[in-house]
Amino acid sequence: MSGSSKKHRLIIVSNRLPFTAKEENGKLEFGESAGGLVSGLSSFLKTVGTNTSNISEYLWIGWPGGTVSEENKEELKSVARSKFSSYPVFLSEEEMDQFYLGFCNKTIWPLFHYFPTYTAYQEDQWQQYKNVNQVFAQAIQEVVKPDDLVWIHDYHLLLLPNMIKTRAPGALIGFFLHIPFPSYEIFRLLPGEWRKDLLDGLMGSDVLGFHAYDYTQHFLQCIVRILGHDHNMGLILTADRVVRTETFPMGIDVDRFVTALENPASVQEIKDLKKSLPGVKIILSVDRQDYTKGILNRLEGFEILLETQPRYREKVVLLMIVVPSRIGVDQYDKTKKQIEELVGKINGKFGSISWTPVVYQYRQVPFHSLIALYHVSDVALVTPLRDGMNLVAKEYVACRVDNTGVLVLSEMAGAVKELGEAIIVNPNNRQEISAAMAEAVEMPAGEQQRRNRIMRDRIKRYNVIRWAGDFLSQLLAMREVQSKFYVKLLSEQLKQSVITDYSRSKRRLIFLDYDGTLVPFVRRPEMATPGADVSAVLTQLSKDSRNTVVLISGRDKATLQQWFGDLCMTLVAEHGIWIRKPKEDWKMFKEQTADWKSHILPILQLYGDRLPGSSVEEKDYSLVWHYRSADPEQSNVLARELLDHLTNFTANIDLQVLRGNKIIEVRAAGINKGSIGLHMLSSDNFDFVFSIGDDWTDEDLFKVLPESAVSIKVGIANTHARYTVQSIQEVHRLLKAFAGKA
Ligand code: ADQ
């Protein structure tokens, strides 16, 4: 990883630490913890502190793998820090039970792997999930420093980014999801509050990474549909944040595997394996015991092969290694039983004294044995029903140093995107698995080498060190991306000086937009009535004789009259078509005709009918098609179409067609908030001009104001305004401060 020369500390956060600590007879015992993430990141972490790295040091935060009594916690902390560069998060057995075995592995894991029927929706487990994420947030807060890079991993900690955003100001937060992100149709099965909280949680990140392009797209689709945020090439812009989403397929450390094959332990293991299985083709199957891995399908495919093609009997062996996993979750216990029954059935049906068709082992195997297995197996059968990536497939290819060997790979694994030269199967089709096994066993060595050469080159290039480096480079780059958006943020200091200028001035002109500035957007415009706090602050501001307050909105005059008619302020309706000064009647700002409306209205109504949830608003001199409550994706397509339609239709008429915040508006050309702004400016000699708004229509006003004016946009998007604020709450605070100076 290269880039700016400044060095940062990296904080890695994952459910498990890279080591395990357990109490035996009251004493702590330490062990290594296995798994793709730990071994992958360890290779990357070896580069930390080198000249080419932007990372000066690292600290790993997570659970140490067991419950620890009070008296041993300090010792564990100290060993964790000195030996493993880690910081433990302590969790009770009950917390772990409901959190890990509960919400993580009975709700998120099955649902995100497209097993909705295995998914539990239990409120107490959800509460514990929130609680444990809070415990992690607390642990991070204890150690984090500004300028740290915080990299959170996986589905156990989906709520964490948002929880630490405020606790770790200045730190950049990255999140990587190691499992698939499911399509909206699956994700929406979660109760409304959960799915919103989970997405809000993730949106606390600066960079969000996924293994595959599809998962990134699914996530973005959920963000549009559930939170209502659009994106531009994966960059999500909300009123107060910029979040980058990106695809980073995780790799492995190929060199580590190749080098380890030369270790005496591996060499011996390879010899022993070859001796114990002479004259047969070895088909390897290695996974954690998990129903998503398709282990049963694999066995069924093998059964079909032996059944339908007897010539393979005594000629092939399925070497099946299953690593114990998530013991205590019903579905896992059930799958284990089913696997063992089927192994027994196949061996009973086809086996002989000299030949066992399926050699089955239910255990964790050490690294040197695992790579020996990869090295001697003629075929690797990797057939998950759904898998975020699948590192086993890549590890097998890495260990084929002479490029022989055949990988049979499921099209449902994320790894298939990079390993397209494998024999690709649909794991639901047992016949296909069986045919793939036969094809693999028969494949000539030249063809095997041709395929593996391409795949090995690819996985060597995008290895795990590149993967982590890329992710962290993107994370660091967010500082610059965000600074462009945050450059105009109204700091506390600037805010105070605006308030001082306000209090010293004698003739003030104050422009206020309404929707999105004083009140939030709601599903139906008529529901956005001003609350008591908004009415109070407007009353106070408009009572001050030094103030000329102009409420300038796109709404119709009847609504503004109803809500604010009694206040001593200027009301402007339909973005400048109508104006009502205090104690006067409504007047048209510039003469208008409305005869064009009868031509345009049917077009808008047609789109109103075509898109459920959208509606047409007819004002005196403008027409609006609203689509805030409609399906966001469908409405984006139709909005583009309507815009095109109207632009062509109005080419020779003096009308303007504008696309706003979930609306398309048609009105007479030449009238906008800017014209009203100029009119009001010329009505007196003001010594303080202030304008605040959130919308594209406010830009017309910002553009015409004198340089000395204080113009503020609500939201961090590009703007002509001098400053930006991130929320409506900030608008309220500022206006209240003004009112307090009256
Ligand atoms: P897993 O579901 O655990 O990981 P996988 O990617 O295959 O799946 O990683 C398993 C790791 O465990 C591999 O590194 C492998 O070497 C090791 N392993 C497998 N069988 C073993 C055995 N019998 N003994 C010892 N070690 C064994 C999750 C997601 C995946 C994603 C990874 C990484 O489910 O889709 O690829 O995270 O992001």
Side-chain angles (χ1 to χ4, degrees), residues 289-308:
Q289 199 263 100
D290 200 300
Y291 51 85
T292 61
K293 300 287 181 188
I295 302 172
L296 277 173
N297 304 43
R298 219 169 289 175
L299 280 168
E300 286 161 359
F302 189 56
E303 188 181 11
I304 295 174
L305 180 79
L306 298 181
E307 186 78 62
T308 57

Side-chain angles (χ1 to χ4, degrees), residues 178 211 286 288 293 323 365 370 387-391 395:
H178 290 263
H211 274 312
V286 177
R288 254 185 335 96
K293 300 287 181 188
V323 187
V365 294
L370 182 68
D387 212 337
M389 170 54 71
N390 194 296
L391 298 179
E395 292 168 6

Side-chain angles (χ1 to χ4, degrees), residues 35-37 39 109 113 176 178-179 211 250 286-288 293 321-323 363-365 370 374 387-392 395:
L37 176 66
S39 65
W109 178 273
H113 285 87
F176 190 85
H178 290 263
I179 64 173
H211 274 312
M250 185 177 175
V286 177
D287 317 79
R288 254 185 335 96
K293 300 287 181 188
I321 320 283
V322 177
V323 187
R363 63 182 173 96
Q364 175 95 29
V365 294
L370 182 68
Y374 289 143
D387 212 337
M389 170 54 71
N390 194 296
L391 298 179
V392 166
E395 292 168 6

Side-chain angles (χ1 to χ4, degrees), residues 337-621:
K337 236 175 118 206
Q338 286 170 320
I339 292 171
E340 286 170 0
E341 274 170 19
L342 192 51
V343 169
K345 182 181 157 211
I346 296 173
N347 284 345
K349 195 162 153 195
F350 302 103
S352 64
I353 306 239
S354 56
W355 175 63
T356 309
V358 186
V359 176
Y360 172 74
Q361 293 180 2
Y362 178 66
R363 63 182 173 96
Q364 175 95 29
V365 294
F367 184 64
H368 71 270
S369 308
L370 182 68
I371 56 172
L373 284 166
Y374 289 143
H375 189 72
V376 300
S377 298
D378 302 280
V379 178
L381 202 49
V382 183
T383 59
L385 300 174
R386 201 57 75 158
D387 212 337
M389 170 54 71
N390 194 296
L391 298 179
V392 166
K394 292 187 175 179
E395 292 168 6
Y396 175 70
V397 174
C399 290
R400 307 305 305 176
V401 278
D402 67 354
N403 284 325
T404 60
V406 183
L407 174 66
V408 176
L409 181 60
S410 160
E411 60 179 284
M412 307 297 172
V416 80
K417 303 276 186 302
E418 295 159 276
L419 302 175
E421 289 74 19
I423 298 180
I424 311 293
V425 292
N426 179 335
N428 297 307
N429 187 345
R430 278 78 164 163
Q431 275 77 14
E432 208 175 310
I433 297 177
S434 154
M437 279 193 247
E439 184 187 343
V441 168
E442 303 293 343
M443 189 181 284
E447 176 61 9
Q448 297 175 18
Q449 284 168 327
R450 185 189 70 76
R451 293 176 182 229
N452 285 336
R453 206 169 285 130
I454 304 171
M455 293 195 279
R456 289 191 88 229
D457 280 353
R458 206 177 287 131
I459 61 172
K460 269 190 209 161
R461 271 199 306 276
Y462 202 80
N463 61 20
V464 70
I465 298 166
R466 267 282 292 282
W467 169 78
D470 261 12
F471 186 95
L472 294 173
S473 297
Q474 288 276 5
L475 189 56
L476 275 170
M478 283 309 280
R479 280 244 191 277
E480 211 179 309
V481 173
Q482 288 168 341
S483 66
K484 282 194 193 126
F485 287 99
Y486 293 160
V487 71
K488 291 185 171 181
L489 267 191
L490 186 68
S491 64
E492 193 50 39
Q493 200 186 354
L494 280 168
K495 188 174 134 189
Q496 289 313 324
S497 100
V498 169
I499 295 168
T500 309
D501 287 352
Y502 173 90
S503 61
R504 286 189 187 146
S505 55
K506 304 255 172 333
R507 288 183 179 286
R508 308 164 186 142
L509 178 59
I510 300 170
F511 293 104
L512 304 172
D513 171 48
Y514 183 67
D515 293 279
T517 301
L518 297 181
V519 296
F521 285 108
V522 289
R523 285 177 77 81
R524 293 209 320 275
E526 64 275 17
M527 287 158 61
T529 48
D533 51 342
V534 169
S535 299
V537 82
L538 291 181
T539 308
Q540 252 179 307
L541 287 174
S542 56
K543 267 199 325 214
D544 188 327
S545 60
R546 289 164 291 185
N547 289 351
T548 299
V549 181
V550 187
L551 189 90
I552 180 164
S553 157
R555 285 187 176 258
D556 62 48
K557 64 183 197 305
T559 308
L560 294 188
Q561 181 65 32
Q562 186 196 339
W563 289 346
F564 307 109
D566 295 341
L567 297 185
C568 183
M569 59 184 189
T570 298
L571 302 177
V572 179
E574 294 193 43
H575 298 305
I577 290 177
W578 293 101
I579 181 162
R580 191 223 65 169
K581 296 205 171 155
K583 302 195 191 85
E584 290 182 16
D585 286 332
W586 284 95
K587 280 189 206 126
M588 202 179 277
F589 180 62
K590 208 170 127 191
E591 254 342 283
Q592 299 279 322
T593 58
D595 46 359
W596 55 269
K597 278 190 352 190
S598 58
H599 303 288
I600 303 290
L601 191 58
I603 302 177
L604 297 194
Q605 277 165 343
L606 175 69
Y607 281 79
D609 292 340
R610 279 177 69 193
L611 182 66
S614 73
S615 60
V616 178
E617 183 188 6
E618 182 174 357
K619 295 188 269 190
D620 294 337
Y621 293 97

